[in-house]
Amino acid sequence: MRLVLPLAACRTTAAEPTHDKLLAWAMEHTLTDLPAVREVFDRTRIGDFSALAYPFANHTTRVLTDSWVLWTLIVDQLLEEKLSQETLRSRTSLSSDPAIALHAVDPEDPPRRHLAVLADLLRRSTLDMPAEWQRRFSGDVAFFIRSCHLEAAHRLPGAQPRIELPDFVALRRGSFATALFLDLVEKVYAVGRPEGPCTQRVAAELLSCASDLGGWCNDLLSYRRERGREDGNNLVLLLARQRGCSIEDAVCEAKEWVRRRAWQFQDYKAELITLLRDEGSDDVSAADALQWVLGVELLVSGSLTYQSSSRRWQEQ
């Protein structure tokens, strides 16, 4: 499926690949012993993500962001394994501590390698970052784990969740991990989110648009592979079920959701620019805010380009 968003994107890049550094890091933590990790390296072009999503980041930071991509994918596979082994705990953690949230997946047999890698990634990510950002980032990592755990719990034998669309939208914002990668925009570009009395509100709307676009584009790319298995956790499949319509009609509606959300992002971006001028922002603050919103835009478009080029998400 070909998806194009009306967003700025990095069309070409001569960035140094991160593949070798990423593989060395995975071997250092014995992750390459895991079938899920070998599959990621085989099917996802794992080292390409950061060059598309954070094209102006230095090589060290791009290795870090690609490491987070690898980790989120193996957490997803971990939940699949716990489901098949019937050891997944049905109750998700409420903690904002990522380690506690991950431990709750299977308290009897906690994923020690995943936890060790999580600790390493958190240490490297929070280095030299403000305390408030560190707190928010850790909370967003935990949000991802809790959301993925809840999606997996929906598929436990006997579970009959009826997910309404508003609940699905909120859950999908967490399970696609967009929030933690949006946080990393601030680290990559050394800028904070706009914090003016009005610009703060618009920034929150931009983040919501970005989060939805990430998850919904993923659902459009992967609905064929997930049909029958993730009917309640995929926008296309959920629309088909709740509307009582064909998959083809649900695809068309989901595409329209994505299109509207992308243009809403552009509307909020234009509003942000107007507010920066009308609130009398100084030039340094305005430049930082514009750098931030460009970073968010490139992340969303780059993520789609990355998914579209990786076999993991292609239609099956």
Side-chain angles (χ1 to χ4, degrees):
M1 176 180 294
R2 177 169 168 77
L3 281 176
V4 178
L5 298 174
L7 303 178
C10 178
R11 304 297 181 187
T12 60
T13 178
E16 181 184 353
T18 66
H19 179 277
D20 291 349
K21 288 280 190 181
L22 193 60
L23 181 59
W25 174 76
M27 294 176 67
E28 176 188 347
H29 290 275
T30 66
L31 292 177
T32 47
D33 294 347
L34 299 173
V37 172
R38 295 195 293 272
E39 180 185 7
V40 167
F41 276 97
D42 181 51
R43 300 183 65 205
T44 66
R45 300 178 64 176
I46 184 67
D48 290 357
F49 172 79
S50 63
L52 295 164
Y54 305 96
F56 303 114
N58 62 44
H59 190 257
T60 298
T61 305
R62 289 198 299 106
V63 171
L64 175 63
T65 60
D66 285 335
S67 299
W68 274 112
V69 174
L70 175 60
W71 184 82
T72 60
L73 293 176
I74 64 172
V75 167
D76 183 63
Q77 187 59 40
L78 170 70
L79 291 163
E80 290 290 334
E81 293 169 1
K82 296 295 183 181
L83 268 173
S84 64
Q85 296 165 0
E86 299 183 353
T87 57
L88 180 72
R89 185 185 183 189
S90 60
R91 181 187 296 181
T92 60
S93 169
L94 299 177
S95 177
S96 59
D97 183 321
I100 293 175
L102 187 55
H103 192 280
V105 168
D106 182 2
E108 300 302 318
D109 183 21
R112 290 180 173 79
R113 264 186 290 191
H114 297 70
L115 286 162
V117 171
L118 171 63
D120 175 66
L121 287 173
L122 286 171
R123 177 188 58 78
R124 291 159 58 198
S125 300
T126 56
L127 187 67
D128 298 326
M129 294 299 290
E132 172 57 26
W133 186 93
Q134 295 184 34
R135 182 200 61 76
R136 172 162 39 92
F137 183 71
S138 293
D140 286 338
V141 176
F143 179 40
F144 159 71
I145 297 166
R146 294 197 310 270
S147 299
C148 288
H149 188 172
L150 184 57
E151 282 191 351
H154 288 165
R155 295 165 52 204
L156 285 169
Q160 297 291 331
R162 181 171 180 81
I163 305 174
E164 301 300 327
L165 283 170
D167 295 329
F168 165 80
V169 169
L171 179 61
R172 199 71 181 98
R173 287 177 181 174
S175 64
F176 192 63
T178 315
L180 74 90
F181 289 103
L182 287 167
D183 291 335
L184 289 170
V185 167
E186 299 173 55
K187 182 179 181 69
V188 166
Y189 298 105
V191 295
R193 298 176 183 178
E195 294 184 346
C198 295
T199 55
Q200 190 175 39
R201 172 190 59 81
V202 177
E205 296 289 359
L206 284 162
L207 291 169
S208 294
C209 288
S211 294
D212 291 339
L213 286 167
W216 298 351
C217 286
N218 178 266
D219 289 350
L220 275 162
L221 290 173
S222 60
Y223 76 90
R224 292 181 186 272
R225 179 171 59 86
E226 296 178 344
R227 192 173 184 179
R229 181 170 59 91
E230 297 278 16
D231 287 359
N233 296 326
N234 179 291
L235 177 62
V236 172
L237 304 178
L238 186 59
L239 284 172
R241 188 181 72 187
Q242 296 206 352
R243 303 285 197 254
C245 65
S246 67
I247 290 293
E248 291 74 17
D249 287 344
V251 167
C252 290
E253 183 174 353
K255 284 184 175 179
E256 184 58 25
W257 278 43
V258 166
R259 181 181 179 278
R260 286 198 306 265
R261 207 67 172 121
W263 281 110
Q264 285 173 345
F265 181 94
Q266 297 293 15
D267 289 340
Y268 284 123
K269 184 173 74 170
E271 185 179 354
L272 176 66
I273 293 170
T274 299
L275 287 171
L276 290 169
R277 181 191 61 202
D278 292 349
E279 288 185 353
S281 297
D282 64 85
D283 290 347
V284 172
S285 298
D288 285 350
L290 294 174
Q291 179 65 75
W292 174 80
V293 75
L294 175 60
V296 171
E297 190 168 357
L298 291 174
L299 169 60
V300 174
S301 60
S303 176
L304 174 57
T305 301
Y306 172 68
Q307 292 175 71
S308 299
S309 66
S310 296
R311 283 191 295 142
R312 177 186 176 92
W313 293 283
Q314 295 312 297
E315 299 172 354
Q316 294 183 4

